[in-house]
Amino acid sequence: MSVIGRAPRCREPDVERAVKAAQQAFPAWSKLPALARGKLIARAADLIEARADAVAALLALETGNAYTTQARPELNATLDMLRLFAGVAGELKGHTVPWTADTLHYTTREPLGVVAAIIPWNAPVYLMAAKLGPALAAGNTLVMKTAEQAPLAVLACAEIIQEVLPPGVFNVISGYGEECGRPLAEHPLVRKVTFTGSCPVGKIITSYVAPKLCPVTLELGGKSPNVVMADADLALAIPGIVQGMRFTRQGQSCTAGSRVFLHESIYERVVGAVVERMQRLRLGDPLEARTEVGTIISQEQFDRVQSYVDMAKATPGVRVLCGGGRPADPALSKGLYFSPTLIAGTKA
């Protein structure tokens, strides 16, 4: 392992500064016309696009995601997300309802105030945009906590965005959950919390927010199956299974198709073709252009993946069809490389 950068280990005083900055910026930002807010978000996207290659390289370095197949495409999706909400900002309209001959009832949309966003490490820049775009377009200000495993690319984007947005509109803190995530979620001035991450942490976030009856949005982990029926178009299904396993993110995705259910009549054909495709995937340095699969995010996650595979190997009737541990290539002996793995015979 080697050090590629350092990020602040924020604690409660830093949370207080960030939330107060967002609160102070809220009145002016919320009164800015929605179209004007949208134009500033679009301008932020333009500035990030001008430096997208450098940000994507930093993203690949800190996450282990391959530059070509994941990190650079994530930057493209980030730009699309920001521009989407920049474009719809002007559509934040209420409703007008006729009541009597000379009376109309109408509604307006009012921003909540300071929004707290807590993001994970597997697609940090994209999820930054997915939370920043709607919150700011609607007239809220934002305090975002990065994942402790991958703060650098988000901090780099935040620095770029500061060139466009008024001070205090978008604030970023980095650190550990208990030290800055919890005080952020619990802060009385935070009027909305949005979290993407695991189900257990989502439950904890909810418990932090519940006492103040603050709205909370949770996007939590999944365990998604690929189901292939006897009459499926296998020319589509087989590559779809491999793509759906999200190997370009080393399987570290809440949308990964981590289980496959096959009809017995096509079982052998599909399994053989899937294994063949998986074995052709190119593991390597995330910054190499030819690399398709990079490294696991951290030693902790690597050990967790290995423990699951070891558990499967120790289960009667289970077969490891490919992968199952570190790749045999000596060039990949250093680093958290894990071969794409397919296990058969496990119970649903």
Side-chain angles (χ1 to χ4, degrees):
M1 292 186 181
S2 58
V3 176
I4 62 169
R6 300 184 185 277
R9 182 175 176 175
C10 296
R11 293 179 172 84
E12 194 163 352
D14 304 292
V15 173
E16 188 67 27
R17 288 178 59 195
V19 172
K20 283 188 175 180
Q23 181 67 20
Q24 290 170 0
F26 173 69
W29 179 252
S30 62
K31 288 182 174 60
L32 196 67
L35 283 173
R37 295 196 297 263
K39 288 179 180 179
L40 289 175
I41 296 170
R43 177 60 180 149
D46 292 341
L47 292 181
I48 292 174
E49 183 174 31
R51 295 169 236 186
D53 290 341
V55 175
L58 180 59
L59 183 62
L61 274 174
E62 68 173 338
T63 62
N65 291 336
Y67 178 91
T68 301
T69 57
Q70 179 61 37
R72 193 56 178 84
E74 182 176 332
L75 261 292
N76 294 339
T78 296
L79 300 173
D80 289 344
M81 182 65 72
L82 290 174
R83 287 167 175 151
L84 167 67
F85 285 103
V88 302
E91 298 303 314
L92 293 170
K93 301 168 183 174
H95 300 282
T96 301
V97 181
W99 186 248
T100 64
D102 56 355
T103 304
L104 294 175
H105 283 186
Y106 68 92
T107 64
T108 60
R109 295 180 181 270
E110 298 292 333
L112 291 168
V114 179
V115 172
I118 302 173
I119 60 174
W121 44 260
N122 58 343
V125 174
Y126 174 76
L127 288 165
M128 172 204 72
K131 296 186 185 300
L132 179 151
L136 267 56
N140 303 290
T141 53
L142 189 65
V143 179
M144 179 170 291
K145 181 206 169 291
T146 65
E148 54 266 31
Q149 300 92 337
L152 300 179
V154 174
L155 288 169
C157 287
E159 189 173 0
I160 295 169
I161 292 170
Q162 298 309 315
E163 299 175 21
V164 176
L165 296 180
V169 170
F170 178 42
N171 311 270
V172 178
I173 55 176
S174 55
Y176 294 95
E178 276 296 310
E179 294 179 352
C180 65
R182 178 172 185 169
L184 176 61
E186 291 179 337
H187 200 289
L189 292 179
V190 168
R191 299 312 310 150
K192 160 83 179 182
V193 176
T194 172
F195 168 78
T196 298
S198 71
C199 293
V201 177
K203 292 177 181 178
I204 294 171
I205 295 291
T206 303
S207 71
Y208 294 160
V209 173
K212 59 181 178 178
L213 298 178
C214 172
V216 59
T217 300
L218 304 174
E219 180 194 6
L220 306 178
K223 195 69 175 172
S224 306
N226 289 290
V227 181
V228 187
M229 306 301 290
D231 59 349
D233 183 347
L234 299 188
L236 293 175
I238 290 167
I241 290 170
V242 178
Q243 183 180 15
M245 290 178 183
R246 305 306 300 274
F247 286 120
T248 59
R249 242 195 254 176
Q250 298 69 253
Q252 300 171 134
S253 170
C254 60
T255 61
S258 53
R259 298 175 292 159
V260 186
F261 296 101
L262 304 172
H263 191 275
E264 60 183 358
S265 65
I266 58 170
Y267 180 87
E268 295 297 338
R269 180 181 173 188
V270 172
V271 167
V274 167
V275 168
E276 181 184 358
R277 282 177 173 268
M278 289 173 61
Q279 291 174 334
R280 292 204 308 263
L281 290 169
R282 255 187 234 105
L283 277 73
D285 184 340
L287 294 179
E288 290 289 337
R290 286 165 49 85
T291 297
E292 296 174 289
V293 181
T295 66
I296 302 292
I297 182 74
S298 66
Q299 186 68 55
E300 178 186 9
Q301 288 298 119
F302 183 94
D303 293 342
R304 181 177 297 173
V305 172
Q306 187 65 69
S307 72
Y308 292 153
V309 175
D310 292 342
M311 191 186 306
K313 289 178 178 178
T315 303
V318 170
R319 295 173 296 138
V320 178
L321 302 180
C322 68
R326 287 184 175 275
D329 186 349
L332 303 179
S333 60
K334 294 182 178 180
L336 302 177
Y337 296 100
F338 203 102
S339 297
T341 299
L342 187 64
I343 299 170
T346 58
K347 293 183 178 180

